[in-house]
Amino acid sequence: MTLYDQLPALVVAVLLFTAPIAYMLRMHGFPWAAATAAVVTSFIVACSLAATAIGGETIIYEMGGWPAPYGIVLHIDALSALMAMLITGASSAALIFGAKSLADEVGEETAPAFFAAWLLCTAGLVGMVITGDAFNIFVFMEISSLSTYVLISAGPDRRALISTYRYIVMGTVGATFYLIGVGFLYMVTGTLNTADLGARVGQVEDIRLVLVAAGFVSVGLAVKAAVFPLHSWMPNAYTFAPNAVTVFIAAASTKVSLYVLIRVDYAIFQNSIANHEVQLTLFLVPLGVMALFAGSLLAIYEKNLKRLLAYSSVSQIGYIALGIAMTSVAGLTGAIVHMFNHGLIKGGMFMAVACLALRYRTVNVANLAGAGKAMPWTMAAFVMGGLGLIGVPLTPGFISKWYLVLAALEKGWLGALLVAVILISSLLAVIYVWKVIEVAYFREPRANAVPVTEEAPMVMLIPTWIVVLTGIWFALDTSVSVGLASIAAKTLLGVAL
Amino acid sequence: MAVLGLYNYFVFAVLLMIGLYCLLARTNIIKSIIGLSMFQSAVFLLYISMDKVDGGTAPIIQEGVENQIFANPLPQVLILTAIVVGISTTALALAVAVRIREAYGTIEEDKIQEMDRKQ
Amino acid sequence: MIFSESDTIYYALTIPLLGALGIALAGRWPNIRETVTLTTAVAVAIVVWSLIPTLQAGGRPELHFGEMLPGLEIAFKVEPLGMLFGALASGLWIVNSVYSIGYMRGNNEKNQTRFYICFAIAISAAIGVAFSANLLTLFIFYEVLTISTYPLVAHKGDEATVRSARVYMGILLGTSIGLFLPAMIWTYSVAGTLSFTPGGILEGKIAEPLVGILLLLFAFGIGKAALMPIHRWLPAAMVAPTPVSALLHAVAVVKAGVFTITKVFVYIFGIDFLFNQPSHRIIVWVACFTIVVSSFIALRQTNLKRLLAYSTIGQLSYVVLAASILKPLSEVGASMHMMAHAFGKITLFFAAGAIYVASKKTEITDMLGIGRRMPWTMAAFSIGALSMIGVPPTGGFISKWYILGGAIQDDNYLALATLVASTLLNAAYFLPFIFAAFLYKEDVKPVNEHGEAPWPMVAALTFTALLTFAFFIFHQPIADLEAQILVK
Amino acid sequence: MMTIVFSLFLLTMLVIVAVAILRTENLFTAVMLSGIFSLIMAANFFVLDAADVALTEAVIGAGISTVLFLGALALTAEYDRSPPVGTWVPLLTSSALGGVIIFATFQAPRLGDPSAIVHQHVAPWYLEKTPELIDVPNVVTAVLASFRGYDTLGEVFVVFTACIGVMALLGRVRPRRDSIKEGEFKKATDNLRHHLIPRVVGKMLVPFIVLFGLYVQFHGDFGPGGGFQAGALVAAGVILYSLVEGGVRGRELVPEWFSSVLVALGAFTYTSVGVASMLMGGRFLDYSVLAHDPVHGQHLGILVIEAGVGMTVAGVMITIFHAFSRRGIR
Amino acid sequence: MHLLLDILSAMLLLSGAFFVFVGGFGVMRMPEFYTRMHAASLTDTGGAALILFGLMLQGGFTLIPLKLAAIFLFLFLTSPTASYALANAALLSGVKPACRNETGKAFPGEQPAKPKPKRKSASKAVKARKSAPVKPPAGKPAKRPAKKPTKKTARKKS
């Protein structure tokens, strides 16, 4: 068993191994260093996994040496490799970026607990992405949610606590719904391995249980992924969490639930329930469309910059839901690639917001006037991100919009409507991005506002611009992101590579 | 007579209903947390009522005993994990409730919402 | 020249960006900044113009930049239409920079560095649009052009400019993402490729009624061509300083719009395929409607720059009309009119700018007798106006001649009628102002006793006026170059 | 037939208690009822032949969670709650949910019928292979520790996160409280005079509870038991001691730093067993490579990770209890 | 021999069950707190002990009777403590036993059992508690450290 074969287990093991260490050794600055080291190693491992997965082959790693349906098996294909890369990348970027801004938001006393929770959140998300066992997804979902609650409650403002509480209630209800769904699936098939479930669920004759299981799983995951009507926990959670935490959870955490939705819908329910596409479309398209419009409209009238970006995340998740609902290769590729690209765009934008918050001590759009002159580099990064949201070429947003519209066009007249919806909502994105740009560049700072003169510190600016430049790189050379996404879409839909 | 066999699942459904109702209808945070833990423990009932086999006993294989029917061990393992998940979530929720009480002075969600709106 | 064709395209694109960088670095020393702008402008012009001989010999230089999406790459290929637009943009950039140095200094505007940087980026984007080999690369540079011109339009930064810049941005971004992008993706999903091929890629791949819809999507999607319902951004952009309006109207932005429409007609639909599709008539109707209505609105305008804006909308629809007649003569006429209108309109804008700098007047009604004070400017202005109307010694005549020839070939009487009517309307809104400027006595005292505008502005003015004459005389080589489009 | 009678009785009791919890307005009663709820649930599990789960539910559900609730209640000191908010929407949603489930379960296999799919596919393999591969009488512990060891690893880290969360939230105690002055100490302990009998009986019981916990820990392979239950039992013992003797004395018995180290050490042991099996050439958490003979390796592996789990759970429960109780001294 | 054991354990089990039944019935019938608690403690001690002994006889000479004996010992210790603790808390928190003098007669007639307070709805209860000044009951330390959350101390009587 060379090291190379052990990689799938290593990507999670490294994080889980360092978490207790980061908690125990409490010297000054050690928890942060241990956390960053572990997350960066995990990122490197994830990239090498992606390298193998881009060849189109799926890695099966039997945990504890037990064969598939009996033991737990890690199942890494192109989709999981791409998501693992996104999660660990976003986590390391946020950690490196957050060194300074976390230092003053999270006191010295709670630092060990905080960074151990950070490691566990990353481990939970990556664990969910690579595992091939339905119940194991639930366990790692719990790890990531519990640690996310801890991370959010570390926010300085007292409203962070009440938003954490609401997130705990909705998150646990969502996870329990997922558990009920898995329970019903287990009841009709007798196994928990996703591949095995997919094979056996086809021969089930009493279809009622499978339908209800599909309903529960989808609703549960929709709550965790903040799909529109069930998103009420997300804006407050993003707004009152510490800035570096918002960068990480905005880029990665909601996408993982959408990943699980894709995995469950396409690997298990697709080949069992007869016209599952129709159900999926009926379930996701209305939700997606509502998310698109409601998210953008709420963002337009929002005063707080972080909540504005959170609402824009709600509408971007609507795009992904639409992509999933189209059940075609192009649609699924668009959804997967948008998960990756949106992670990049939002990560960069929230980093810029964190730089602004560090200097201006507030994230209210009104008193960020004149930020364009005071902090040119930060605002430039924010504008690049904003253009990405709109879907202007040379930004990652363009690529995902390209695939979504391409997929919609294949659907005939309903598709034409979808195209109109997608484009109108990206025009709404123009409005709320331009609202911020006008305030920042063309309005003089208010007299009583605290005069901000110097740029954000170099240690925060460089990671921000690294993320923005990677975004532009993935806009120009899409061989990695679109390559992995199309292989994933083809394997999920059973189309030849 | 057949319906009696499904009684477990009906109780599971009723407990879910009560748990969810308690969660949604009550504004007190501690009461909602109790509702949440009830909601979770209902699911345990669903899994464990799957593992019963007529005439079976707990899956402990003694040497001497031959052709003994055993209950299904898998749901039990899953529920062992789920119970501990339940208690961890409750513990965390209670800790947050205590902090909310100290920060806001009350644990009624509607009063907290008013305070937030005024702020 | 010393380096191969594909390198030339590469340098043509990167020199303006290097120039922009140079300007950014030299921000604090105005003189050095100005010299950097001029040298870059000249360098780009030389590089771009060096491609003309290869084009005339029939060569098509190419540059492949790399695969952005599977099956689609960022690639450049210079063909006659692109060559014309590229040469026009780089050439007029020199004149415009000379003019804007005078204007900026004369008007002592603030944050000029930002102005020159965005200007350089806009030119690089224009050249990118000119040389792109497929619709995707063109779309990328089209968007970069929109975004880089936004700071120029919102230059003053006060409430009014920001609001009209918002209109400018809203319409351009809205139409490009709302209509142009779906049209492009629809073409890609139907044709499988987006590269410009002579004879078009949609031959037989799209059914009858859909062609019309796709055509409309393209026509209104390319907001920069300012067809009637989507023209509001042009008058709104009048708040910008005059060199920017000159850039917008004569050098880059509108030219890019009309250029893209012509390229889409010729290289995506293909002239013959589109000709025998009955639904292509819609575009002719839209173009004629725009020409007539914009000329009527121009009649009532009192602000000089708004008048020129509406006349530009009309002239642009000339090019669209010429392209949509789908006859060889009218295609050549379309490209010729792009050139003629560029020279004419830039002169008019320079004159308007000079009058503003010298006398701070913007309304025509109080510009009576200004000819006496500013003879050179008003002379150039009248030459430009004549070129707009299409009087023989100026370039305008040549292009209208070709368009009329095309219309007669296709005996498209609607086009003929609009051309004649609009020529009369042009005369109606230009000539009275010219007579008033020269013959009437001055009734509104200017704020200060002023003579001519600063010398760099007057030099640029007269140079472009002479260009309209030169175009009239040496139009033949350009006509031959453009004729290459039609040979299959 | 007998099980159906028992479960009918117990389940109806369960529903009655649940409704009582819902309707009572005094939080203290609600907490007590939720303790009874867990106890009945544990009895129900036992009737359904899930001995391990019954033990866990009893200890954690009835024991630890009630104590945590009371601790939180003492801190929030809220005895009553405000009148219920509009009851139509919640009623509608929950009854819809219940209706869907009842609609679906009509096709579910009857309670205890051996022909259900659940008993055909994966379960017989476990029952058949455990004596041969792992040779441990209690199949549940075998599946928990070895066949699905990765799940339990996740589980340990869920508990670890809960501990971290509570420490992050309640860890920061305002300094002036911690330095217990002499007077304060006396006041904190003297009030036990009124409760002499429970104090004496409690102190007498603590050693037996801890002993029983250790028995469950090491007896986990043979009878119902294992890491989780053992950890919880030991923690219950320590909590009883600090309840009876007062928080200060309790923290002297098991100091703060010790329980945190215990937590981290347990999780660390578990992961290092997994990494060790990787270093020894097997897969992650593959115990058969740990010793010369695979079955011995499995025994060793299960023993160590059960110890790890026990340590973590005990440490977590004690830390959380101390966090709550230390927070109380105003 | 075997039959004798069976009869004996059956008798024990029956009597144990009878005790439990009487206890349960007593809890229903008794009018106020202390008497009701007395009936409940009856089931704890008597009933449980008898049933356990009955089962022990069934067990024969294996390990089971030993385990049952351990359970009995545990119950024998804890249930009286529980009843004591319950009574102590009730007394401390001011629940007055209904009958003051020794003669049985006084019980029903002379001082009727305090009418069970009509269940005021929660909001009035909350208002009542807020308005009534919270005075520490005499003889008890004013501020009881809240950390000992056993059954008796947590109940605060307004």
Side-chain angles (χ1 to χ4, degrees):
Chain A
M1 288 292 286
T2 64
L3 176 69
Y4 186 73
D5 308 335
Q6 305 280 24
L7 285 187
L10 264 181
V11 76
V12 178
V14 165
L15 298 168
L16 292 180
F17 193 79
T18 1
I21 300 171
Y23 182 61
M24 271 198 286
L25 306 178
R26 295 169 179 236
M27 294 83 76
H28 174 71
F30 176 81
W32 178 81
T36 325
V39 169
V40 168
T41 353
S42 170
F43 177 61
I44 295 159
V45 171
C47 293
S48 58
L49 282 177
T52 48
I54 205 155
E57 39 129 351
T58 322
I59 307 162
I60 304 282
Y61 181 93
E62 286 143 357
M63 264 304 172
W66 307 112
Y70 309 110
I72 294 171
V73 154
L74 298 187
H75 174 92
I76 300 174
D77 62 359
L79 180 57
S80 352
L82 183 69
M83 288 305 293
M85 217 162 53
L86 171 70
I87 295 163
T88 41
S91 173
S92 28
L95 256 183
I96 296 164
F97 165 81
K100 186 161 179 353
S101 86
L102 280 177
D104 54 35
E105 267 172 350
V106 170
E108 189 52 38
E109 231 173 88
T110 49
F114 182 84
F115 287 111
W118 186 291
L119 273 173
L120 286 167
C121 188
T122 326
L125 291 173
V126 173
M128 262 169 86
V129 156
I130 57 173
T131 179
D133 184 281
F135 188 78
N136 201 268
I137 292 178
F138 168 73
V139 172
F140 278 99
M141 184 194 286
E142 277 307 313
I143 294 180
S144 61
S145 340
L146 278 176
S147 31
T148 318
Y149 307 148
V150 172
L151 293 176
I152 293 174
S153 64
D157 187 328
R158 81 173 181 179
R159 281 173 295 186
L161 294 169
I162 190 70
S163 38
T164 319
Y165 169 70
R166 287 210 183 88
Y167 185 18
I168 289 179
V169 167
M170 294 198 77
T172 320
V173 167
T176 317
F177 268 32
Y178 175 77
L179 190 59
I180 297 169
V182 168
F184 279 130
L185 277 178
Y186 175 68
M187 192 188 284
V188 272
T189 56
T191 165
L192 286 169
N193 182 309
T194 32
D196 202 13
L197 266 174
R200 289 176 62 86
V201 93
Q203 306 121 15
V204 171
E205 67 287 352
D206 46 16
I207 204 74
R208 219 187 292 177
L209 272 173
V210 179
L211 280 175
V212 168
F216 268 105
V217 165
S218 313
V219 169
L221 290 172
V223 168
K224 297 290 284 181
V227 178
F228 172 64
L230 309 159
H231 72 293
S232 48
W233 58 269
M234 184 169 105
N236 288 340
Y238 281 15
T239 322
F240 298 115
N243 294 322
V245 171
T246 322
V247 169
F248 173 46
I249 50 176
S253 83
T254 40
K255 320 276 181 304
V256 175
S257 313
L258 286 169
Y259 157 83
V260 178
L261 190 67
I262 294 177
R263 178 72 72 192
V264 163
D265 265 326
Y266 283 92
I268 297 174
F269 294 119
Q270 202 64 310
N271 43 30
S272 72
I273 308 169
N275 42 23
H276 186 62
E277 292 85 29
V278 173
Q279 281 151 356
L280 197 65
T281 335
L282 285 183
F283 173 61
L284 278 180
V285 167
L287 289 187
V289 170
M290 271 196 299
L292 286 184
F293 286 113
S296 313
L297 287 176
L298 287 168
I300 289 168
Y301 296 108
E302 184 46 50
K303 301 260 175 311
N304 178 322
L305 192 53
K306 280 170 91 170
R307 191 175 283 127
L308 184 141
L309 290 181
Y311 282 131
S312 113
S313 288
V314 169
S315 80
Q316 300 289 327
I317 286 166
Y319 281 118
I320 304 172
L322 277 183
I324 299 171
M326 284 182 206
T327 64
S328 65
V329 174
L332 210 50
T333 324
I336 296 166
V337 118
H338 193 51
M339 281 205 276
F340 186 77
N341 290 345
H342 180 255
L344 275 175
I345 300 168
K346 257 319 147 47
M349 286 183 91
F350 270 113
M351 282 188 184
V353 167
C355 295
L356 290 173
L358 188 76
R359 285 291 182 249
Y360 277 86
R361 283 280 157 243
T362 160
V363 267
N364 207 318
V365 175
N367 41 33
L368 286 181
K373 290 181 190 50
M375 305 172 76
W377 286 101
T378 322
M379 274 320 290
F382 185 85
V383 165
M384 279 310 293
L387 295 179
L389 285 181
I390 300 166
V392 161
L394 289 186
T395 61
F398 177 72
I399 310 288
S400 22
K401 216 146 266 160
W402 173 274
Y403 274 96
L404 284 174
V405 172
L406 201 61
L409 282 176
E410 284 161 9
K411 294 280 183 207
W413 283 107
L414 172 71
L417 273 177
L418 276 186
V419 169
V421 161
I422 290 172
L423 296 170
I424 291 166
S425 83
S426 55
L427 297 189
L428 291 177
V430 172
I431 300 173
Y432 64 73
V433 170
W434 235 257
K435 184 180 81 162
V436 177
I437 287 173
E438 263 166 23
V439 162
Y441 281 96
F442 297 111
R443 203 158 292 155
E444 291 323 314
R446 281 216 296 261
N448 53 25
V450 58
V452 170
T453 46
E454 81 273 58
E455 240 309 353
M458 231 3 126
V459 81
M460 290 171 83
L461 214 49
I462 292 172
T464 319
W465 271 94
I466 290 173
V467 169
V468 169
L469 292 178
T470 4
I472 296 172
W473 166 261
F474 278 114
L476 284 175
D477 168 17
T478 62
S479 55
V480 171
S481 61
V482 170
L484 278 173
S486 51
I487 294 168
K490 290 194 178 88
T491 37
L492 282 171
L493 287 168
V495 170
L497 276 189
Chain B
M1 190 40 202
V3 174
L4 269 185
L6 294 174
Y7 190 70
N8 284 48
Y9 302 125
F10 297 158
V11 168
F12 155 66
V14 167
L15 285 182
L16 268 187
M17 280 158 72
I18 296 172
L20 196 64
Y21 181 79
C22 181
L23 203 60
L24 298 175
R26 294 299 183 255
T27 56
N28 183 294
I29 288 184
I30 302 274
K31 195 59 174 295
S32 310
I33 297 174
I34 295 177
L36 198 65
S37 75
M38 232 185 341
F39 187 74
Q40 284 180 318
S41 47
V43 179
F44 308 157
L45 189 60
L46 169 72
Y47 275 76
I48 294 298
S49 48
M50 277 195 260
D51 87 343
K52 174 81 176 95
V53 180
D54 285 349
T57 61
I60 298 160
I61 304 166
Q62 266 87 7
E63 278 67 26
V65 175
E66 278 323 312
N67 52 47
Q68 164 60 259
I69 310 167
F70 291 112
N72 183 344
L74 192 56
Q76 297 179 19
V77 172
L78 305 181
I79 286 312
L80 269 175
T81 322
I83 292 176
V84 180
V85 164
I87 184 74
S88 320
T89 327
T90 323
L92 204 61
L94 287 175
V96 170
V98 165
R99 279 292 300 275
I100 286 175
R101 170 76 172 79
E102 283 167 10
Y104 283 94
T106 164
I107 50 169
E108 298 300 340
E109 270 193 68
D110 41 24
K111 291 201 187 68
I112 293 171
Q113 241 159 7
E114 274 146 38
M115 287 186 184
D116 279 354
R117 217 168 293 119
K118 272 198 290 297
Q119 193 172 6
Chain C
M1 283 285 281
I2 36 171
F3 23 77
S4 73
E5 273 93 9
S6 65
D7 291 352
T8 4
I9 306 174
Y10 182 73
Y11 292 132
L13 284 168
T14 39
I15 290 175
L17 296 180
L18 291 177
L21 205 63
I23 296 164
L25 296 178
R28 268 177 298 285
W29 306 282
N31 298 349
I32 303 171
R33 181 187 62 204
E34 257 66 297
T35 38
V36 167
T37 326
L38 280 175
T39 35
T40 353
V42 169
V44 169
I46 295 162
V47 164
V48 169
W49 286 70
S50 68
L51 285 171
I52 295 178
T54 38
L55 257 298
Q56 279 164 341
R60 295 286 183 274
E62 295 204 11
L63 166 69
H64 293 278
F65 202 65
E67 227 184 43
M68 177 168 159
L69 286 164
L72 283 166
E73 56 173 4
I74 298 176
F76 300 95
K77 183 168 133 202
V78 185
E79 36 76 46
L81 262 174
M83 188 65 243
L84 180 104
F85 177 41
L88 199 68
S90 46
L92 289 181
W93 186 22
I94 309 169
V95 181
N96 200 308
S97 357
V98 167
Y99 178 83
S100 42
I101 293 165
Y103 180 90
M104 286 295 175
R105 293 279 168 84
N107 230 349
N108 49 52
E109 296 269 346
K110 50 181 167 48
N111 46 47
Q112 298 184 8
T113 328
R114 184 176 69 178
F115 169 83
Y116 287 113
I117 296 170
C118 292
F119 213 108
I121 298 171
I123 294 299
S124 152
I127 295 170
V129 167
F131 289 164
S132 53
N134 56 35
L135 210 52
L136 180 68
T137 334
L138 189 137
F139 185 74
I140 292 173
F141 284 98
Y142 182 92
E143 288 295 343
V144 171
L145 189 59
T146 319
I147 291 162
S148 55
T149 44
Y150 173 74
L152 296 175
V153 172
H155 190 74
K156 281 208 201 55
D158 59 359
E159 195 37 38
T161 24
V162 165
R163 207 171 312 110
S164 41
R166 189 185 302 160
V167 166
Y168 170 81
M169 203 56 186
I171 293 180
L172 282 187
L173 255 187
T175 49
S176 74
I177 289 184
L179 303 166
F180 191 9
L181 183 62
M184 187 165 73
I185 296 177
W186 185 357
T187 338
Y188 176 68
S189 71
V190 165
T193 168
L194 279 177
S195 46
F196 295 123
T197 45
I201 54 174
L202 286 173
E203 195 71 37
K205 289 199 178 64
I206 189 160
E208 173 31 42
L210 297 183
V211 172
I213 299 167
L214 188 60
L215 209 58
L216 276 179
L217 270 181
F218 269 117
F220 292 124
I222 302 163
K224 291 195 170 76
L227 287 171
M228 209 55 202
I230 313 171
H231 68 288
R232 271 187 30 69
W233 63 271
L234 243 167
M238 282 307 105
V239 288
T242 323
V244 175
S245 323
L247 162 80
L248 289 190
H249 296 275
V251 172
V253 176
V254 266
K255 288 292 164 294
V258 186
F259 165 76
T260 325
I261 283 206
T262 339
K263 257 197 134 161
V264 163
F265 280 4
V266 173
Y267 289 103
I268 295 287
F269 287 91
I271 300 176
D272 317 329
F273 167 71
L274 203 54
F275 187 69
N276 40 41
Q277 302 290 342
S279 54
H280 88 276
R281 287 257 169 261
I282 314 167
I283 297 298
V284 178
W285 280 95
V286 168
C288 299
F289 173 77
T290 321
I291 296 172
V292 173
V293 169
S294 64
S295 310
F296 273 115
I297 301 172
L299 273 176
R300 281 185 296 99
Q301 292 305 329
T302 55
N303 180 312
L304 181 57
K305 284 172 84 175
R306 290 185 76 81
L307 181 127
L308 296 179
Y310 279 104
S311 110
T312 310
I313 297 172
Q315 301 293 334
L316 290 180
S317 304
Y318 268 88
V319 178
V320 173
L321 178 64
S324 58
I325 293 170
L326 297 172
K327 275 288 170 243
L329 255 184
S330 65
E331 295 307 324
V332 172
S335 39
M336 304 294 277
H337 194 73
M338 264 205 302
M339 201 109 181
H341 173 258
F343 295 144
K345 193 45 66 67
I346 201 164
T347 329
L348 291 173
F349 266 103
F350 281 171
I355 293 166
Y356 176 72
V357 164
S359 64
K360 292 290 183 281
K361 288 183 185 165
T362 54
E363 297 307 313
I364 306 178
T365 44
D366 51 23
M367 280 185 193
L368 303 179
I370 200 156
R372 290 200 190 74
R373 285 185 176 280
M374 306 172 70
W376 286 93
T377 317
M378 280 321 292
F381 185 88
S382 22
I383 295 165
L386 292 177
S387 162
M388 284 305 125
I389 299 163
V391 172
T394 61
F397 172 74
I398 303 291
S399 50
K400 276 204 175 157
W401 179 261
Y402 274 93
I403 300 171
L404 277 172
I408 292 161
Q409 240 178 15
D410 172 33
D411 50 45
N412 179 339
Y413 297 109
L414 174 69
L416 270 174
T418 24
L419 281 172
V420 169
S422 66
T423 320
L424 295 178
L425 285 168
N426 287 353
Y429 62 71
F430 270 124
L431 296 184
F433 169 61
I434 294 171
F435 292 145
F438 279 107
L439 302 180
Y440 290 0
K441 209 154 303 347
E442 198 174 66
D443 56 357
V444 173
K445 273 278 161 280
V447 71
N448 51 12
E449 284 307 314
H450 66 85
E452 262 300 349
W455 67 268
M457 300 167 79
V458 175
L461 273 180
T462 35
F463 179 71
T464 43
L466 293 176
L467 273 179
T468 35
F469 284 125
F471 180 69
F472 176 75
I473 302 152
F474 306 108
H475 69 276
Q476 198 46 40
I478 301 164
D480 304 342
L481 181 66
E482 295 320 315
Q484 283 180 20
I485 316 171
L486 308 163
V487 69
K488 236 36 99 251
Chain D
M1 185 47 205
M2 282 303 292
T3 49
I4 294 212
V5 169
F6 278 133
S7 53
L8 264 181
F9 166 69
L10 285 171
L11 290 172
T12 359
M13 280 282 291
L14 209 59
V15 173
I16 295 164
V17 169
V19 170
I21 292 176
L22 182 65
R23 289 195 52 73
T24 124
E25 284 162 6
N26 178 336
L27 284 180
F28 180 75
T29 342
V31 165
M32 279 303 122
L33 283 172
S34 83
I36 296 167
F37 179 85
S38 304
L39 206 58
I40 299 173
M41 184 70 93
N44 207 316
F45 288 156
F46 190 74
V47 162
L48 292 168
D49 297 340
D52 275 79
V53 182
L55 180 57
T56 326
E57 176 66 23
V59 173
I60 290 187
I64 306 278
S65 93
T66 325
V67 167
L68 288 185
F69 268 113
L70 288 175
L73 211 54
L75 288 173
T76 51
E78 273 295 327
Y79 289 95
D80 263 327
R81 45 154 203 76
S82 60
V85 82
T87 61
W88 269 113
V89 170
L91 202 63
L92 224 61
T93 36
S94 44
S95 42
L97 179 81
V100 162
I101 295 174
I102 291 173
F103 160 75
T105 45
F106 274 105
Q107 281 185 343
R110 297 294 170 272
L111 182 74
D113 88 43
S115 65
I117 305 156
V118 166
H119 306 307
Q120 315 307 327
H121 184 43
V122 171
W125 188 83
Y126 286 135
L127 290 169
E128 178 201 327
K129 280 283 189 292
T130 318
E132 173 201 329
L133 289 175
I134 304 179
D135 183 14
V136 160
N138 184 353
V139 177
V140 172
T141 320
V143 174
L144 182 79
S146 172
F147 289 125
R148 293 184 69 89
Y150 190 50
D151 255 0
T152 322
L153 173 70
E155 197 33 58
V156 165
F157 276 97
V158 167
V159 174
F160 183 68
T161 328
C163 173
I164 285 177
V166 171
M167 287 312 289
L169 283 162
L170 304 180
R172 274 198 310 275
V173 178
R174 287 170 283 289
R176 64 181 166 73
R177 252 166 212 71
D178 241 1
S179 56
I180 299 289
K181 290 174 288 305
E182 190 39 47
E184 179 96 16
F185 178 77
K186 196 169 168 323
K187 193 165 80 61
T189 46
D190 75 347
N191 63 12
L192 293 183
R193 244 185 3 283
H194 299 280
H195 309 281
L196 185 61
I197 298 176
R199 192 164 146 235
V200 166
V201 168
K203 274 180 74 175
M204 209 166 57
L205 279 179
V206 165
F208 291 105
I209 295 177
V210 173
L211 183 66
F212 179 62
L214 294 176
Y215 165 78
V216 163
Q217 166 80 30
F218 297 108
H219 188 68
D221 303 352
F222 304 95
F228 293 117
Q229 299 88 338
L233 274 167
V234 169
V238 170
I239 288 171
L240 178 61
Y241 180 80
S242 41
L243 276 181
V244 165
E245 283 305 310
V248 175
R249 192 67 61 80
R251 270 196 302 291
E252 275 161 20
L253 177 75
V254 176
E256 196 66 35
W257 62 269
F258 176 71
S259 54
S260 320
V261 161
L262 209 61
V263 167
L265 208 62
F268 187 71
T269 346
Y270 202 116
T271 355
S272 46
V273 164
V275 170
S277 61
M278 264 163 68
L279 296 178
M280 292 191 179
R283 300 266 177 168
F284 188 69
L285 289 177
D286 180 359
Y287 310 133
S288 40
V289 289
L290 290 178
H292 53 280
D293 157 42
V295 177
H296 283 300
Q298 294 290 345
H299 281 278
L300 180 66
I302 289 179
L303 201 66
V304 173
I305 62 134
E306 286 289 349
V309 169
M311 275 197 280
T312 313
V313 172
V316 164
M317 297 305 169
I318 296 167
T319 330
I320 293 179
F321 176 75
H322 281 320
F324 274 104
S325 72
R326 189 187 59 239
R327 196 87 184 183
I329 306 169
R330 282 285 179 280
Chain E
M1 175 54 184
H2 194 63
L3 186 62
L4 185 62
L5 277 179
D6 280 356
I7 296 164
L8 196 57
S9 74
M11 259 178 22
L12 281 171
L13 285 173
L14 270 177
S15 54
F18 174 69
F19 266 81
V20 170
F21 176 73
V22 163
F25 191 70
V27 167
M28 289 290 296
R29 287 284 293 128
M30 290 296 178
E32 54 81 57
F33 178 76
Y34 288 96
T35 41
R36 204 174 281 148
M37 199 193 61
H38 166 67
S41 64
L42 183 67
T43 38
D44 267 354
T45 49
L50 286 172
I51 290 175
L52 279 172
F53 280 118
L55 289 173
M56 270 185 227
L57 292 181
Q58 289 285 350
F61 286 102
T62 59
L63 204 60
I64 296 172
L66 202 61
K67 289 184 181 171
L68 287 171
I71 296 173
F72 168 71
L73 190 65
F74 180 75
L75 276 181
F76 185 74
L77 272 175
T78 46
S79 43
T81 331
S83 324
Y84 160 78
L86 196 59
N88 192 320
L91 193 65
L92 286 178
S93 58
V95 175
K96 286 286 169 292
C99 51
R100 278 190 329 300
N101 54 24
E102 298 334 325
T103 57
K105 273 190 320 322
F107 172 55
E110 189 223 342
Q111 193 212 7
K114 191 142 48 90
K116 208 156 75 52
K118 196 169 63 46
R119 274 180 59 78
K120 287 181 284 183
S121 78
S123 51
K124 278 204 269 322
V126 169
K127 265 201 252 20
R129 176 160 301 105
K130 279 209 187 58
S131 54
V134 176
K135 56 174 175 30
K140 269 209 316 304
K143 203 92 189 67
R144 188 176 313 283
K147 65 169 181 20
K148 258 167 57 39
T150 50
K151 260 196 279 252
K152 9 188 223 327
T153 52
R155 295 274 309 234
K156 270 215 176 37
K157 195 90 184 64
S158 65

